[in-house]
Structures are given as C-alpha cells and as structure tokens.
Amino acid sequence: MTTRPKPRYQQLKESIIARISSGELRPRDRVPSEYELVDSTGVSRMTANRALRELNVEGYVDRVAGVGTFVADLKAASHVLEVRNIADEVELRGHKHSATVLRKGRRQATKDTAALLHIARGSALSHVQLVHHENDVPIQLEDRYVREDFAPQFLAQDFTQITPSAHLSAISPLQEAEQRVRATRPDKHVRKQLQMGSAEPCLLVTRRTWAHGQPVSVARLYHPGDRFELTGHYAPPGTEKSYQGNADIIELRNVKK
Amino acid sequence: MTTRPKPRYQQLKESIIARISSGELRPRDRVPSEYELVDSTGVSRMTANRALRELNVEGYVDRVAGVGTFVADLKAASHVLEVRNIADEVELRGHKHSATVLRKGRRQATKDTAALLHIARGSALSHVQLVHHENDVPIQLEDRYVREDFAPQFLAQDFTQITPSAHLSAISPLQEAEQRVRATRPDKHVRKQLQMGSAEPCLLVTRRTWAHGQPVSVARLYHPGDRFELTGHYAPPGTEKSYQGNADIIELRNVKK
DNA sequence: TAGTGGTCTAGACCACAAA
DNA sequence: TTGTGGTCTAGACCACTAG
C-alpha cells in the first residue's frame, strides 16, 4: 500500500520554505512567480497561487500585485515568532538603546544547559552576559548561551552594536521559540547591574529558540520588576484586514511610574 | 467612481462570522456546506471552499471531510485569543480546580476603571474577587470588573462552579484581549490569600477582554511568584501539519520546586 | 506592452462519513 | 448511495507596475 502523496500546493510550500531556510533564497530575493511555478512544476496556476498565498499569510513572503513575490525580511520572520528584539523595542519607543558587555567567552555545557539545548554535557557553547539600557537606564540583564556549532562567529560580534538575538536571526531564520515568565527575587549581581532596590522583585524571562528543528540558544532575561512589564495584544484573525494581526504579541513596555 | 466591492469569498466569510457573533449560529451548529453556498449565493464551489477553509484556519469553524462544517466551540474561539481559562489549565494537568469567592457585588466605575473599559465614570459594574486553587493550593487571586450591561446575570453565577471568564465566554465570543505582565510585591491581602511568604514576589497579569468591539471586562490576576510561571510556545506556521500551531500560546504552568 | 498578483468559474476526481 | 470536504485543472477577466 503506497502512502498517499502530500497535496501539490503543500509540496510547493515546503519546497520554498526549504529554499529559504537553507539560505538559497535570502530576504528580499525574488520567489518564482505563479506562472513560473506553473511552467516549472506543471501545476495549475490556482495551485501555485494557493501555495504562495498561504506562504504570504504565514509571513514567509511578501507579495505585491504587479510586481512579484519576495522572501520576507528576517525581521518579519521573527515577527512570526512574536518575539522581538529588545533594541527594536526601545527604538520603537523613540528611545536610545545601548548595551554593556559584562562577560563573554567559551563554556562547556552544564548538565542543565545541555538538557535544555538537547546536546551532550560538555559540548562547546558560547556565552555572553550583557546589560541593555534604555536612555542609559538599565532595563534588561541578558545571560545567553548559544551552540557554538550553530553560530561559530558569535563571540566575534560587537554586542554593543548588534544584539545577540539579532545576530542569531541574521544567521538563520528562527523557527520556534519557547518562553517562560516568572517573578523572582534578584540576586546581588542582578540587583547591582539593574540598579534595583533591595526589595524590588524581578521579572525573569527564560527563552529558548530553535533553528533547523533544534534548540540553538537559551537566554535568561532579567527585568527590573516595578519598572517594566511584558504586554501582549491578541487580535481576532480574519476580521477586516487584520490578517497577520497576531504580529505584535509580545513587546516590552515601560511602565509610567 | 464606485468603490470596488469586496471579494466574494470575503463577503461570505464576514457574513458567516456575523451570524456566529450574533448568536444566530451557535457552537456546534451546522454551517452551510460548500454546495449549499453555491446554490444560495451563486458563487462557484472554489469560492465557497476558500471562504470556509479560511474560516477553519482562523478557528471559527471545524470541518470534517464527509460530514460537514460546524461552528467551533467557544473554547476553541477563545483559543483564537490564545488565552485560556485557569480551570481548564489546571484540569489539563490532571489536577483538581476549586475556587473560593471572597467578594461579590455591584460597583460604580472609578476613574481608572472607567478609562480602561471606555465607559463613563460611575457606570454600573459587577465585581468579583476569588481565589483559584490547584489541588487546594491557592494559585491565583482574581479581581475582576465586568460591564453590567454586557453580562447582566454575572453576579447570579456560582463562581465555585463556573469561572468568571467561562461565563463571559458563554455569553458572547470574546473578540480581543490585552494582557500585561509584571512582577510586584504583593500587599498584605494578596499575600494572605495566596499564602505567600513575606518577601516572595508576585506575578501580576492585568487582562482586558473585548466583545462587540468594546472592552467589557478587566481583571487583575495575582500569582504567587516563585511557585508559578507563565509559559508560551511559538511554533512556526505552515510547517508540516502545524496549522493552528499558534493555539496554545499562553498557558499557566506549575514550577517544580 | 508584458508581467504580476487577485479573483472567479465550471467543471472534475478522490476519500471518507452516514444512512 | 448520497453528501461532504480536499484537491486540482484550464481557462478567464481585472488592476496594477514597470519598462
């Protein structure tokens, strides 16, 4: 008994996603037009249209009538993950973002980190710890581990110019993310770096990101509790033009205080 | 110059969404089949198919090949909002949910609450405050205000049997939600009700929900800090069968400790 | 003018459910 | 057997963009 083949529009979609993930098609590159897909794959135009239309809805490509279909920006791709870069967040508010690197170096995966990243204990990791500032006020302490084989040039980056997450996005579109949020009491180190009062609580976000189907990075993001909040807005899909309405789900926001 | 009419598949979608929102079509009700839409509206079957298929992707309807198309459960509808009922969360973990009502009554909107709900100061509100338990351990203090005109029977509910949010969902599909998460120090009342240590921080979720395009309820949800966390998982759309993969974005999870 | 995406049609074949 | 959704085709007309 032969297994039934996947629908042709689905094959087309997966083929194009694969070409994007592999880097063969880069952001802003042109994607084959509907008629080109008709010629090259033998499907009807409606089938090619469905494939490209769904890729557009899912945020993989941008389409412009009369012009063509293009691979979406990486920014848009991470939009799909509804997780934003803190530097972008700050600049979105019209404020100045800056970062101070505290630690940077190679590490061996501990038991816990190895488990989180699905790798062997002792595997090579890159580690960086830095403080993000908004208008020179510390707003986030980032403590991040990255698989060295995923991002060999990670430690060579100047993280005062590009955030770790931006570098990771630039290497490969992030495919999946997991995030845990909890309230904790900061330890001395965190409290000092974020200039927090002794009794002030701390919003801790632990985030894992995936690429190529594997977790590649885990980060602990500490935020000064009463000065910051995480906000999300959930809009109904399909209503009016609010396609892609789920875009800005998670964003960091200042709390007037 | 006449404005161009909306696409017919879009008109179909909006027409069906309207019939669901108005209550004419209720959860599990049958939605006209593709061929019925062809007969009743004169569109081709491909157009009817596109309308129903997109409504399915967006979570409004469930489709079963060989059977038919049906209005999705309200639970699924609020799934679209990626916000879950805490009772469902607890039961999903196989634990027992229970609730204790602390306060219940009519209130007049204060300046702040009135602003949040886009209503006049002094407008009639229903108020309830209750503690949710998981296996008899307090996990959430819910402090909620609801527009009285939206849910006239709100205060008549037995909140030990149905959560406030479940009652609101039952009245009308919630269309939109906004959520803010921050870490705070609990006041005496919260600390006592959640049986928290004196220095333990608190995860505070402030949530507004919309129906009929207007905010109808605002809730403050306090969680004992070190015992609970908010987790989110962001899956890639379109990959494999992970349609609707954005479903379980926000869920409450126990922290092993 | 040529190419693109946006939409729509009127058929078609299939697998599957329920009666 | 009938009706359902799932898919696919081979055309078509339109508005728009770019050269």
Side-chain angles (χ1 to χ4, degrees):
Chain A
M1 178 200 305
T2 66
T3 64
R4 249 188 305 97
K6 291 182 183 179
R8 312 185 69 165
Y9 75 90
Q10 185 65 30
Q11 294 179 37
L12 272 184
K13 286 175 63 179
E14 290 175 6
S15 149
I16 293 170
I17 289 176
R19 294 173 66 186
I20 295 176
S21 293
S22 74
E24 178 190 342
L25 288 175
R26 301 197 60 82
R28 298 179 186 262
D29 275 359
R30 179 192 190 71
V31 171
S33 75
E34 300 183 359
Y35 286 110
E36 287 169 351
L37 288 176
V38 168
D39 290 343
S40 65
T41 70
V43 302
S44 76
R45 194 190 151 211
M46 276 300 283
T47 300
N49 172 269
R50 177 166 177 184
L52 292 180
R53 175 159 41 84
E54 293 191 357
L55 287 177
N56 173 243
V57 168
E58 292 158 10
Y60 288 99
V61 300
D62 295 325
R63 312 196 77 190
V64 183
V67 181
T69 302
F70 306 89
V71 177
D73 276 332
L74 290 176
K75 179 171 290 188
S78 63
H79 234 159
V80 171
L81 296 180
E82 295 135 6
V83 173
R84 288 196 194 161
N85 190 333
I86 189 164
D88 296 340
E89 283 299 326
V90 170
E91 278 156 21
L92 202 80
R93 294 195 284 270
H95 293 171
K96 187 188 76 169
H97 170 266
S98 57
T100 308
V101 178
L102 302 179
R103 299 174 194 170
K104 201 173 177 183
R106 303 182 67 217
R107 304 278 187 278
Q108 290 192 322
T110 62
K111 185 183 170 192
D112 287 349
T113 310
L116 283 171
L117 292 179
H118 299 178
I119 54 178
R121 195 167 163 176
S123 302
L125 293 178
S126 304
H127 172 248
V128 66
Q129 186 178 94
L130 60 161
V131 178
H132 297 274
H133 304 82
E134 175 166 0
N135 288 346
D136 299 320
V137 176
I139 55 168
Q140 182 187 92
L141 176 71
E142 172 172 3
D143 191 66
R144 179 181 294 271
Y145 292 87
V146 181
R147 285 180 59 147
E148 196 172 71
D149 56 351
F150 172 71
Q153 298 306 310
F154 186 75
L155 292 176
Q157 305 305 308
D158 176 4
F159 291 124
T160 64
Q161 297 304 311
I162 182 174
T163 65
S165 117
H167 173 65
L168 295 179
S169 290
I171 292 179
S172 165
L174 303 180
Q175 296 183 330
E176 212 166 333
E178 178 195 73
Q179 171 168 295
R180 299 166 182 245
V181 182
R182 57 190 298 191
T184 66
R185 278 177 288 179
D187 63 24
K188 272 187 191 170
H189 176 67
V190 172
R191 205 160 63 216
K192 179 186 169 194
Q193 294 299 336
L194 293 179
Q195 299 173 14
M196 296 171 62
S198 61
E200 196 181 347
C202 186
L203 195 64
L204 169 57
V205 177
T206 306
R207 187 178 295 169
R208 279 197 294 176
T209 48
W210 273 254
H212 310 313
Q214 292 185 324
V216 295
S217 177
V218 56
R220 272 179 283 275
L221 311 170
Y222 300 84
H223 308 83
D226 277 351
R227 299 210 299 275
F228 266 83
E229 65 183 12
L230 216 50
T231 78
H233 197 91
Y234 312 85
T239 321
E240 286 285 275
K241 317 204 57 155
S242 72
Y243 257 103
Q244 290 299 77
N246 289 9
D248 52 352
I249 285 213
I250 299 291
E251 59 181 51
L252 285 167
R253 276 216 3 187
N254 245 321
V255 178
K256 63 236 163 249
K257 176 182 181 182
Chain B
M1 177 201 305
T2 65
T3 66
R4 249 188 301 99
K6 291 183 183 178
R8 310 186 71 165
Y9 75 90
Q10 185 65 29
Q11 295 178 35
L12 272 183
K13 286 174 63 179
E14 291 176 5
S15 149
I16 292 170
I17 289 176
R19 292 172 66 186
I20 294 175
S21 294
S22 74
E24 178 190 341
L25 288 175
R26 302 196 57 84
R28 295 174 188 267
D29 275 1
R30 180 191 190 73
V31 172
S33 75
E34 299 184 359
Y35 286 109
E36 287 169 350
L37 289 175
V38 168
D39 290 343
S40 64
T41 70
V43 300
S44 76
R45 193 189 152 211
M46 275 300 281
T47 300
N49 173 270
R50 177 166 176 184
L52 292 179
R53 176 160 40 84
E54 293 192 358
L55 287 176
N56 174 245
V57 168
E58 291 159 10
Y60 288 98
V61 301
D62 295 326
R63 311 196 77 189
V64 183
V67 182
T69 302
F70 306 89
V71 177
D73 275 334
L74 290 176
K75 177 173 293 191
S78 61
H79 233 160
V80 171
L81 294 182
E82 295 133 3
V83 173
R84 288 198 194 159
N85 191 334
I86 187 165
D88 296 338
E89 284 299 325
V90 170
E91 279 158 20
L92 201 78
R93 292 196 285 270
H95 294 170
K96 187 188 77 169
H97 170 266
S98 58
T100 308
V101 178
L102 301 180
R103 300 175 193 170
K104 202 174 178 185
R106 303 181 68 215
R107 303 282 187 275
Q108 291 191 321
T110 62
K111 186 182 168 191
D112 287 348
T113 311
L116 283 171
L117 292 178
H118 298 177
I119 55 178
R121 196 168 162 175
S123 302
L125 294 178
S126 303
H127 172 248
V128 67
Q129 186 177 95
L130 60 161
V131 177
H132 297 274
H133 303 83
E134 175 166 359
N135 288 346
D136 299 320
V137 176
I139 55 169
Q140 182 188 90
L141 176 70
E142 173 175 3
D143 191 67
R144 181 180 291 274
Y145 291 87
V146 181
R147 284 181 58 148
E148 197 173 72
D149 56 352
F150 172 72
Q153 299 304 312
F154 186 76
L155 292 176
Q157 305 305 310
D158 177 2
F159 291 122
T160 64
Q161 297 304 312
I162 180 175
T163 65
S165 118
H167 174 65
L168 295 180
S169 289
I171 292 179
S172 165
L174 302 180
Q175 297 184 327
E176 212 167 334
E178 178 196 72
Q179 172 166 294
R180 299 164 183 246
V181 182
R182 58 190 295 189
T184 66
R185 278 177 289 178
D187 62 22
K188 271 187 191 170
H189 176 64
V190 172
R191 205 161 62 216
K192 179 184 168 194
Q193 294 299 335
L194 293 179
Q195 299 173 14
M196 296 170 63
S198 61
E200 195 180 348
C202 185
L203 195 65
L204 169 57
V205 177
T206 307
R207 187 178 293 170
R208 279 197 294 175
T209 48
W210 273 254
H212 310 314
Q214 293 185 323
V216 297
S217 177
V218 56
R220 273 179 282 274
L221 311 171
Y222 299 85
H223 308 84
D226 278 349
R227 296 210 301 274
F228 267 84
E229 64 182 12
L230 214 51
T231 80
H233 197 91
Y234 312 85
T239 323
E240 287 284 274
K241 317 205 53 153
S242 72
Y243 255 106
Q244 289 298 77
N246 288 10
D248 52 351
I249 285 210
I250 298 292
E251 57 180 52
L252 286 166
R253 276 212 5 184
N254 245 323
V255 178
K256 61 235 164 256
K257 175 184 179 179

